[in-house]
Amino acid sequence: MAEENELRYDPAAIEPKWQQRWAADPTLYAAEPVSCGKPKYYVLEMLPYPSGQLHMGHVRNYSIGDALARHMWMRGYNVLHPMGWDAFGLPAENAALKNNTPPREWTLSNIAGMKRQFERLGMGFDWATEVTTCLPEYYRWNQWFFLRMYERGLAYRKKSKVNWCPECATVLANEQVVDGCCWRHEATKVDQRDLVQWFFRITAYAQELLDGLDQLDGWPEKVRTMQRNWIGRSEGTNVDFFLEEINEGTGIREQGSDAGPSTPLRSAQDDNRVRIRVFTTRVDTIFGATSVQLAPQHALVATFTAADPALKTQVDELLEQQKRAREAGDLGAIEKHGIQTGRFAVNPYNGRRVPIWVANYILADYGTGAIMSVPAHDERDFEFATKYNLPIVQVIKPAQQGADEKLPFCSEEGLLINSGEYDGLSCAEAEKRLQEIAVARGFGEAKVTFRLKDWGVSRQRYWGTPIPMIHCEKDGLVQVPDSQLPVLLPDQIEITQQGGSPLSRVPEFVNVTCPKCGGPAKRETDTMDTFVDSSWYFYRYPDAKNANAPFDSKIAKYWFPIDQYIGGVEHAILHLIYSRFWTKVMRDLGLIENDEPARRLFTQGMVLKDGSKMSKSKGNIVSPDEMVGRYGADAARTYSLFAAPPDRDLDWQEDGVAGVSRFLARVWRLATKYAPVAREGRGRPVEAPSGISLKLLRKLHQTTAKITQDFEGRWHFNTCVAAIMELVNEIQAADAQLAAGEVPAPEMLELLRTLVLLLAPFAPHLAAELWEELGEESSILRAPWPTSDPELAKEDELEVPVQINGKLVEVVRVAADADAKTIEAAALAGEKIQARTAGKNVVKVIVVPGKLVNLVVK
Ligand SMILES: [Zn+2]
Ligand SMILES: [Zn+2]
């Protein structure tokens, strides 16, 4: 009985033992100083929000990063593997309201709990560099950066329409509006309100943010595509159409012509006329414009409706449709409606008059809020013109003879027709010429527009970084001097989540002496978007205790860019664009030299349960504590890497965790059983292995090569774990020979030692335990990663499946370097193959060297 117990793998005993030892050695996971002379490796996982509980998505994310960090340590790098807390944000306020616990207390106690979970999982983080964004030692630097941006015109205030969640009583970013509802309150419709807000001028970097994506070849293509679309650059032309005047006395229209192309209007006589500026990416098609369409909010529409109550009613209806579509989050799919205003615009190139429409699908905040409609060459315009029976004038024909000319013809591979003197030009030539003419005659210019908007950072919340600005009646906006940073969040505050910013209800916070005139003044009461905190936290890690600056530039120069960043693809646009922007701002401030924060990015898949996302409402949450309690941290971590390739979604199966746990138990039994033999091999070289030793060492070196390659490239950790399982199976299958002493001690030592090293990034506790069992005294984390001997790894024989008419019949063995002829001969000589082909006609033999042989038999 006692012996039975001794032979049981017991993670509940092994794991805490090692966690205690690791915790007692602060240098173990610590990054070494810049002067250490080793190559550096910065592996970073996205920092969690301290909700109070790690979830399985975290376990997966951090198991990937931790495996990589451990591998790089063993490869001899100076590794930085830090962890911190994205600790500001609304849930702390919600919890405060619900439990009557101050946000700070709630947050810090959650952090303590999650830190214990991390330790119980055995994650190798350098806690000396921990960053907690809600602490003044961190957020003072948010304020410092804000002031630097303000000084450079990169932080500014403007009145703007904002998304307002009545439930949160705060402003939401566009991206926080999901299907017209709040991202936190799935059933709460978002309102539109006008507020004066603080913005960061991210658009100043739009072009650079776009261009930089081309260099980021270590980022997933899907992330780069999402960012390109988000930035949304389009090249085009701003063109002024002219509003046709109404002769008040007679109602007779003057100017303009309904007839075909005539002379373009001259700028001199156009100077006093009302202009309608449109943005188009296809000025080459402008002779095909058959209407001008305005957004319902366009300034000109108000002047039309002022004189026409019936028109106003119709425009109001369009506004209402647009608002509903915006709230429903499907503005792109709005059913297109428009109304004719009865007014006309004049095309500046040919003097032709076209009707002015107001349409619900034209957006006031894109381009100029006005478009020219060219139904012959634009899908959307074609659809609209067909619906309202507007004329369709073809002005481009395909460049290629006989090509499909069906309208709308939207390709730019074409030649101009029906365009007066420009007929025969290619689209590209015409674009250039027409732009030049617009500039020369003063009715337009080349224009690049971006979909990217400036980043609204104001939040009417308590639990965020106070914006370090002061409003003085005499001096206007005044910066808080650097010497008065941080502007501290008041500790005691009543959270109601109603009526705007909670800080505005704290007189001791609001009332302040103006730093400029010494008179009474008021503090800004908005706090910053929490995406500010996460935009630069990783620069703080290597110099987390710096009290004089956000970080030391020399230290940042050594560690940046990050070598590998790992996180969820849901952060592809917001966090990852904001942190790229922040990096460029810091570079322009002279703080860093790198242009981009991270050289490589990896986005892991989600963890699902029974095919769907784990959530409280579905009641399908699997808790990490439960898994660790039942199977151990090593089994939970290894399973999360084994169950699917890391970039794919993983469906959590408890059976699978149990299976991995049984596998680890087998490794433990195997290593424990043969460790005494292996220890005798210490200091003795392996010499010309043969027989079963050679077979096992070959498998060992093949496995080493595979796993090493995977860490360098594909990261298919699932197949790495599978390869270790195969190796263990093969060793176990030879148990009788091992027990009989057929494998000499030095070979046994190499076998077990390397097996344990290969396992170390995935199951660090078990590896540490067995490492000690093998007589090793120093930490396995500092042991060199094993190398594979290609000679030893080389197979001398290969198994080749042989098929008859596509069906597997037999597997034959051939020399690993056999040529096609030899393989064919071996296949035809196979016992079963001979039996099946006897008396038949082998029509064809297809040999795929190293893979298979197929015989076509009749
Ligand atoms: Zn909300
Ligand atoms: Zn003042």
Side-chain angles (χ1 to χ4, degrees):
M1 204 59 198
E3 200 180 301
E4 275 274 274
N5 270 338
E6 272 166 24
L7 284 176
R8 201 169 61 90
Y9 165 57
D10 185 8
I14 294 173
E15 294 181 352
K17 166 184 148 189
W18 285 99
Q19 285 155 11
Q20 274 169 24
R21 288 211 206 165
W22 295 337
D25 177 5
T27 65
L28 187 64
Y29 299 122
E32 293 172 62
V34 170
S35 58
C36 71
K38 290 183 186 173
K40 65 95 183 178
Y41 197 87
Y42 188 171
V43 53
L44 177 72
E45 297 105 89
M46 290 180 186
L47 83 179
Y49 176 79
S51 61
Q53 281 292 321
L54 288 178
H55 54 68
M56 277 305 171
H58 290 132
V59 172
R60 190 180 195 199
N61 186 185
Y62 301 123
S63 295
I64 295 169
D66 200 47
L68 179 64
R70 288 172 187 279
H71 174 77
M72 295 314 284
W73 263 307
M74 294 167 80
R75 297 280 291 266
Y77 285 82
N78 180 18
V79 176
L80 176 59
H81 188 218
M83 187 42 63
W85 311 96
D86 192 11
F88 271 138
L90 196 64
E93 291 183 41
N94 294 339
L97 201 61
K98 209 170 134 198
N99 313 326
N100 207 20
T101 320
R104 183 187 155 95
E105 214 171 280
W106 182 82
T107 305
L108 295 181
S109 105
N110 284 350
I111 288 175
M114 289 169 79
K115 205 166 164 178
R116 277 194 299 276
Q117 286 186 295
F118 271 139
E119 279 164 355
R120 184 59 191 87
L121 282 162
M123 295 293 172
F125 297 129
D126 181 1
W127 288 110
T129 65
E130 181 178 6
V131 163
T132 303
T133 61
C134 68
L135 298 179
E137 65 210 47
Y138 181 77
Y139 72 66
R140 73 172 291 176
W141 302 112
N142 285 345
Q143 296 172 340
W144 185 87
F145 279 120
F146 185 98
L147 294 171
R148 301 295 85 78
M149 290 209 228
Y150 180 73
E151 288 157 1
R152 282 158 184 77
L154 291 172
Y156 69 97
R157 279 193 344 149
K158 72 173 178 192
K159 195 169 188 179
S160 76
K161 276 237 180 298
V162 293
N163 305 301
W164 181 268
C165 171
E167 194 102 5
C168 304
T170 196
V171 172
L172 302 178
N174 282 338
E175 309 80 60
Q176 294 169 331
V177 180
V178 180
D179 298 331
C181 295
C182 171
W183 68 333
R184 295 191 192 284
H185 302 104
E186 288 176 17
T188 306
K189 288 268 184 218
V190 170
D191 289 343
Q192 303 283 306
R193 284 199 190 176
D194 271 320
L195 273 184
V196 177
Q197 302 277 296
W198 283 99
F199 285 84
F200 285 153
R201 206 179 297 279
I202 189 172
T203 54
Y205 288 89
Q207 188 64 50
E208 208 199 321
L209 286 167
L210 182 66
D211 293 343
L213 291 171
D214 297 337
Q215 317 303 322
L216 290 176
D217 48 14
W219 286 39
E221 192 48 50
K222 68 180 167 192
V223 171
R224 295 199 283 169
T225 302
M226 284 165 83
Q227 292 210 356
R228 279 192 194 100
N229 293 339
W230 190 256
I231 296 167
R233 182 185 200 272
S234 44
E235 270 178 40
T237 314
N238 274 340
V239 180
D240 296 335
F241 280 66
F242 297 101
L243 179 65
E244 193 185 59
E245 306 287 339
I246 296 178
N247 183 312
E248 301 247 294
T250 61
I252 294 172
R253 296 164 206 286
E254 48 181 36
Q255 298 171 345
S257 152
D258 290 327
S262 65
T263 28
L265 301 175
R266 303 161 69 89
S267 62
Q269 71 186 78
D270 298 329
D271 279 351
N272 297 323
R273 308 175 67 197
V274 176
R275 293 161 179 248
I276 306 168
R277 175 152 283 207
V278 304
F279 172 75
T280 174
T281 57
R282 292 294 306 275
V283 72
D284 55 308
T285 66
I286 198 164
F287 285 73
T290 59
S291 65
V292 161
Q293 311 224 344
L294 306 179
Q297 300 87 343
H298 196 281
L300 207 51
V301 175
T303 69
F304 296 166
T305 54
D308 188 344
L311 184 65
K312 181 164 190 328
T313 313
Q314 290 176 295
V315 169
D316 286 346
E317 176 53 27
L318 296 178
L319 275 171
E320 188 54 37
Q321 290 160 4
Q322 202 175 75
K323 184 170 168 250
R324 279 201 300 270
R326 200 186 288 272
E327 284 169 358
D330 55 359
L331 209 46
I334 190 170
E335 195 189 336
K336 297 174 186 59
H337 291 298
I339 46 172
Q340 200 160 356
T341 61
R343 303 293 299 268
F344 288 82
V346 177
N347 183 332
Y349 287 98
N350 61 5
R352 176 183 281 192
R353 63 202 292 266
V354 295
I356 300 175
W357 285 65
V358 184
N360 64 357
Y361 69 95
I362 310 295
L363 304 180
D365 57 359
Y366 180 77
T368 59
I371 64 147
M372 65 174 196
S373 180
V374 184
H377 305 292
D378 180 276
E379 292 281 356
R380 196 177 63 169
D381 296 348
F382 185 83
E383 188 192 324
F384 192 86
T386 308
K387 175 171 176 179
Y388 288 104
N389 225 350
L390 289 168
I392 296 171
V393 178
Q394 185 180 1
V395 292
I396 309 288
K397 66 168 190 184
Q400 264 190 325
Q401 287 284 333
D404 187 3
E405 239 175 281
K406 192 167 112 25
L407 297 183
F409 176 74
C410 303
S411 159
E412 290 187 51
E413 300 296 310
L415 301 174
L416 270 65
I417 55 170
N418 300 325
S419 301
E421 61 188 283
Y422 309 104
D423 280 1
L425 290 183
S426 71
C427 293
E429 286 166 341
E431 242 162 71
K432 197 163 163 280
R433 281 277 291 284
L434 291 167
Q435 269 179 3
E436 286 164 5
I437 285 167
V439 172
R441 298 191 184 157
F443 58 71
E445 66 200 359
K447 177 76 184 170
V448 172
T449 64
F450 291 94
R451 186 176 165 264
L452 183 71
K453 300 273 178 286
D454 279 338
W455 173 10
V457 293
S458 280
R459 295 291 181 275
Q460 289 69 45
R461 288 178 188 156
Y462 163 66
W463 195 232
T465 303
I467 290 177
M469 297 296 293
I470 289 167
H471 302 269
C472 171
E473 274 195 19
K474 218 171 105 204
D475 301 307
L477 275 172
V478 180
Q479 296 180 235
V480 172
D482 283 7
S483 60
Q484 289 177 22
L485 297 182
V487 176
L488 288 171
L489 269 180
D491 262 347
Q492 291 304 320
I493 186 158
E494 189 201 354
I495 309 260
T496 59
Q497 290 194 0
Q498 277 158 7
S501 171
L503 290 179
S504 66
R505 296 191 303 271
V506 184
E508 312 85 78
F509 178 83
V510 175
N511 297 316
V512 67
T513 306
C514 171
K516 234 180 198 168
C517 67
K522 295 196 180 306
R523 279 196 196 281
E524 171 65 60
T525 57
D526 282 356
T527 54
M528 297 183 205
D529 181 5
T530 57
F531 276 111
V532 169
D533 309 321
S534 53
S535 287
W536 70 278
Y537 72 101
F538 38 78
Y539 286 95
R540 182 76 179 164
Y541 281 138
D543 196 17
K545 303 280 189 284
N546 197 325
N548 305 310
F551 52 82
D552 182 332
S553 293
K554 283 197 298 293
I555 295 176
K557 190 180 168 189
Y558 173 79
W559 285 109
F560 281 84
I562 296 159
D563 295 278
Q564 183 69 60
Y565 198 13
I566 304 167
V569 75
E570 66 273 20
H571 298 293
I573 38 179
L574 301 180
H575 163 59
L576 289 170
I577 280 196
Y578 294 152
S579 39
R580 293 182 61 220
F581 160 65
W582 209 280
T583 289
K584 290 169 196 307
V585 171
M586 293 199 304
R587 179 203 58 199
D588 292 348
L589 289 170
L591 294 172
I592 54 172
E593 291 177 11
N594 51 301
D595 293 318
E596 297 286 349
R599 212 189 299 274
R600 277 185 301 276
L601 171 72
F602 185 84
T603 53
Q604 86 275 3
M606 286 197 300
V607 179
L608 309 174
K609 178 75 185 137
D610 305 323
S612 55
K613 213 174 154 176
M614 290 186 194
S615 74
K616 264 189 200 155
S617 57
K618 290 197 195 97
N620 63 349
I621 292 182
V622 181
S623 112
D625 287 351
E626 213 179 297
M627 287 299 126
V628 170
R630 219 168 284 164
Y631 305 102
D634 281 344
R637 293 173 54 149
T638 305
Y639 171 75
S640 79
L641 295 172
F642 170 63
D647 55 337
R648 305 278 181 76
D649 290 348
L650 178 165
D651 200 83
W652 194 270
Q653 306 279 352
E654 192 168 340
D655 285 357
V657 192
V660 168
S661 166
R662 284 194 298 274
F663 160 69
L664 296 177
R666 276 164 48 207
V667 174
W668 182 84
R669 280 195 300 269
L670 177 75
T672 313
K673 182 170 174 190
Y674 293 107
V677 180
R679 283 198 298 265
E680 286 168 23
R682 287 178 71 83
R684 289 162 51 191
V686 172
E687 277 164 24
S690 61
I692 185 66
S693 295
L694 177 62
K695 187 166 176 268
L696 294 179
L697 286 176
R698 171 171 296 135
K699 184 76 183 170
L700 183 76
H701 281 257
Q702 287 169 348
T703 310
T704 303
K706 189 209 149 17
I707 295 175
T708 308
Q709 260 173 27
D710 249 301
F711 269 109
E712 284 164 1
R714 305 186 312 152
W715 281 24
H716 282 185
F717 298 137
N718 55 323
T719 58
C720 290
V721 175
I724 299 175
M725 289 174 172
E726 264 183 53
L727 171 67
V728 170
N729 285 346
E730 198 156 326
I731 300 174
Q732 279 195 314
D735 191 53
Q737 288 150 295
L738 299 188
E742 284 181 35
V743 175
E747 276 88 334
M748 186 66 99
L749 181 62
E750 184 183 343
L751 211 52
L752 293 184
R753 206 175 172 276
T754 306
L755 168 64
V756 169
L757 287 169
L758 294 178
L759 205 59
F762 308 106
H765 307 89
L766 176 60
E769 176 76 8
L770 297 177
W771 191 243
E772 193 176 58
E773 189 74 26
L774 290 172
E776 299 284 350
E777 278 164 14
S778 61
S779 166
I780 190 168
L781 203 63
R782 300 285 184 263
W785 183 255
T787 50
S788 171
D789 176 352
E791 273 309 306
L792 199 49
K794 208 159 83 186
E795 283 287 1
D796 39 28
E797 278 196 332
L798 276 182
E799 292 190 328
V800 180
V802 185
Q803 302 175 331
I804 292 180
N805 297 335
K807 278 206 177 122
L808 177 67
V809 174
E810 188 170 2
V811 175
V812 298
R813 297 193 68 89
V814 296
D817 53 1
D819 60 10
K821 247 193 161 141
T822 316
I823 297 171
E824 181 178 334
L828 292 170
E831 214 171 299
K832 286 184 194 154
I833 297 292
Q834 294 238 317
R836 297 275 190 98
T837 53
K840 289 187 181 148
N841 190 9
V842 179
V843 190
K844 205 172 168 191
V845 182
I846 303 150
V847 179
V848 186
K851 287 270 181 349
L852 65 84
V853 177
N854 188 30
L855 310 180
V856 182
V857 174
K858 278 187 179 162

